[in-house]
Amino acid sequence: MKVAATQCQMRLASSVAKSVASLTGQHFMSIDQLSNEELKGLLEVSHQYKEIYSDKSKPLPQPLSGHSISMIFQKRSTRTRVSTETGMSLLGGHALFLGPSDIQLGVNETMRDTASVLCRFNDIVLARVYSHDDVVELAKYSSAPVINALSDLHHPLQTLADLMALQQHFGKDLTGKTVAWVGDGNNVLHDLMLGSVKMGMNVQIATPKGYEPNADIMAKTLALAKENNANVTTTTVAEDAVKGADVVVTDTWVSMGQEEEYAKRVKEFEGYQVNTELMGKANPGAVFLHCLPRHPEEVTDEVIYSDASLVFPEAENRMWTVMAVMAAQMGKV
């Protein structure tokens, strides 16, 4: 039985290790930092980890035995915490949760000092923060690789889970598929559009006026789209973005920290709800994604619980993909 576990490790090493070897010791801040080979390699590791670690009838490989990760959470999250803690445990390591009551980044202790201390205890530092500047500063002063688990600009772990879900449904080659985004031009969209064009997919974006994605990140996306023969379009009309789409994606209209804007945002996002009628404008067989938690104004029950919804496999994939990132950072794929 132990031999079987060793063979699993050898199989991974022989098939994908080279494609992600360059990620050893590297910070993971956004999808655009990855080469196409690295992105596809992380996804392949994720698929193989799902296959290997879903079978608990035999001893499982523990490549991160003796390793630990500190997880800094300025913003709460069900999926990020559970996927990282469980995934690190499956890999044989230990995860330490640091919530707002445990650590106050930049308040009682400077970001530089926090980074300098944690990297002496832990092999990886994961941070889910409000400002992207915070995770950038952590990475600047940490000798251990940092994972951006969400900032106001980027959410790369979510995009890995999304792309994995699409590969599970459509097959590994996503070239030529079209992703439609309907909603706020936020951090989730930023990495999704970067990752989608790197995989050769077209992206059609609908946001209300004033809620467009970050201009600098859009410029990067357009440049990457050109390199990968993909198209990117923007509109303020949800139906226009969904026409011809194979994938329809939305996210919360009101992120944590924006609660006071709830009434204003709900009014300005009128017509952006993903419902059966809107999904009917997409290509036959189109699928739906949402990173959760969701609210009824964003998507109806008829859509999120339909056969077209990949929302819950997408959520599960948060674990397989963060496992791939951690193992790659440690050079233990």
Side-chain angles (χ1 to χ4, degrees):
M1 298 294 274
K2 290 183 179 180
V3 172
T6 302
Q7 288 175 341
C8 288
Q9 289 174 293
M10 291 176 63
R11 181 175 60 178
L12 272 176
S14 64
S15 61
V16 299
K18 287 185 179 180
S19 65
V20 297
S22 53
L23 299 178
T24 302
Q26 298 298 308
H27 303 307
F28 184 55
M29 309 294 281
S30 61
I31 286 293
D32 60 299
Q33 78 178 66
L34 301 174
S35 69
N36 290 4
E37 182 183 24
E38 290 167 341
L39 175 56
K40 292 175 182 177
L42 282 175
L43 290 169
E44 184 58 32
V45 174
S46 303
H47 287 292
Q48 294 195 30
Y49 277 172
K50 175 176 171 60
E51 178 185 351
I52 293 167
Y53 289 92
S54 292
D55 182 4
K56 298 191 173 85
S57 66
K58 58 180 179 291
L60 299 172
Q62 295 191 324
L64 297 192
S65 177
H67 292 284
S68 65
I69 181 171
S70 56
M71 307 186 304
I72 300 170
F73 280 68
Q74 286 184 335
K75 302 178 75 171
R76 65 187 181 276
S77 171
T78 300
R79 279 149 297 281
T80 301
R81 179 177 181 180
V82 175
S83 63
T84 306
E85 286 195 16
T86 307
M88 190 54 149
S89 176
L90 286 173
L91 291 169
H94 175 70
L96 176 66
F97 176 78
L98 298 171
S101 62
D102 303 305
I103 184 171
Q104 297 184 45
L105 283 179
V107 179
N108 294 330
E109 189 168 18
T110 67
M111 204 74 63
R112 180 174 183 171
D113 291 355
T114 298
S116 298
V117 168
L118 291 179
C119 68
R120 291 171 182 268
F121 294 123
N122 306 116
D123 301 288
I124 305 172
V125 178
L126 175 145
R128 182 178 171 90
V129 299
Y130 285 97
S131 171
H132 190 68
D133 290 341
D134 285 349
V135 73
V136 168
E137 191 170 0
L138 277 174
K140 180 179 179 180
Y141 294 110
S142 174
S143 59
V146 170
I147 296 175
N148 176 12
L150 177 142
S151 68
D152 59 352
L153 281 184
H154 290 287
H155 198 356
L157 290 175
Q158 184 60 52
T159 290
L160 289 178
D162 294 349
L163 295 176
M164 183 179 177
L166 295 181
Q167 286 186 327
Q168 288 168 324
H169 184 80
F170 292 115
K172 298 291 178 64
D173 185 3
L174 298 175
T175 305
K177 297 294 183 184
T178 296
V179 176
W181 176 272
V182 179
D184 191 12
N186 62 13
N187 49 3
V188 176
L189 169 60
H190 290 161
D191 283 280
L192 180 63
M193 64 187 189
L194 289 165
S196 294
V197 297
K198 288 176 74 64
M199 297 294 287
M201 292 190 286
N202 305 309
V203 181
Q204 300 174 173
I205 301 165
T207 61
K209 188 175 180 180
Y211 292 92
E212 297 85 0
N214 176 276
D216 291 337
I217 298 173
M218 175 57 79
K220 291 180 184 178
T221 301
L222 292 172
L224 287 169
K226 187 175 181 180
E227 291 176 14
N228 293 281
N229 298 314
N231 296 312
V232 179
T233 61
T234 60
T235 179
T236 57
V237 181
E239 288 187 5
D240 290 348
V242 169
K243 288 177 183 175
D246 303 293
V247 186
V248 178
V249 193
T250 193
D251 184 25
T252 182
W253 298 345
V254 186
S255 297
M256 278 181 274
Q258 299 173 334
E259 289 81 3
E260 292 183 359
E261 302 176 28
Y262 179 83
K264 173 177 177 288
R265 282 175 168 261
V266 168
K267 182 178 180 180
E268 293 180 339
F269 279 85
E270 187 175 347
Y272 278 76
Q273 183 190 60
V274 180
N275 50 37
T276 303
E277 182 181 358
L278 188 64
M279 286 295 294
K281 307 291 185 182
N283 284 341
V287 297
F288 174 75
L289 295 176
H290 191 302
C291 68
L292 301 176
R294 66 98 184 195
H295 307 92
E297 62 266 22
E298 300 152 7
V299 56
T300 62
D301 285 357
E302 289 77 15
V303 171
I304 201 167
Y305 298 124
S306 72
D307 291 339
S309 175
L310 302 183
V311 167
F312 297 106
E314 173 191 12
E316 177 190 333
N317 290 345
R318 288 294 307 277
M319 183 172 74
W320 309 120
T321 50
V322 76
M323 287 171 67
V325 171
M326 294 187 294
Q329 287 180 317
M330 293 293 95
K332 298 290 183 71
V333 172

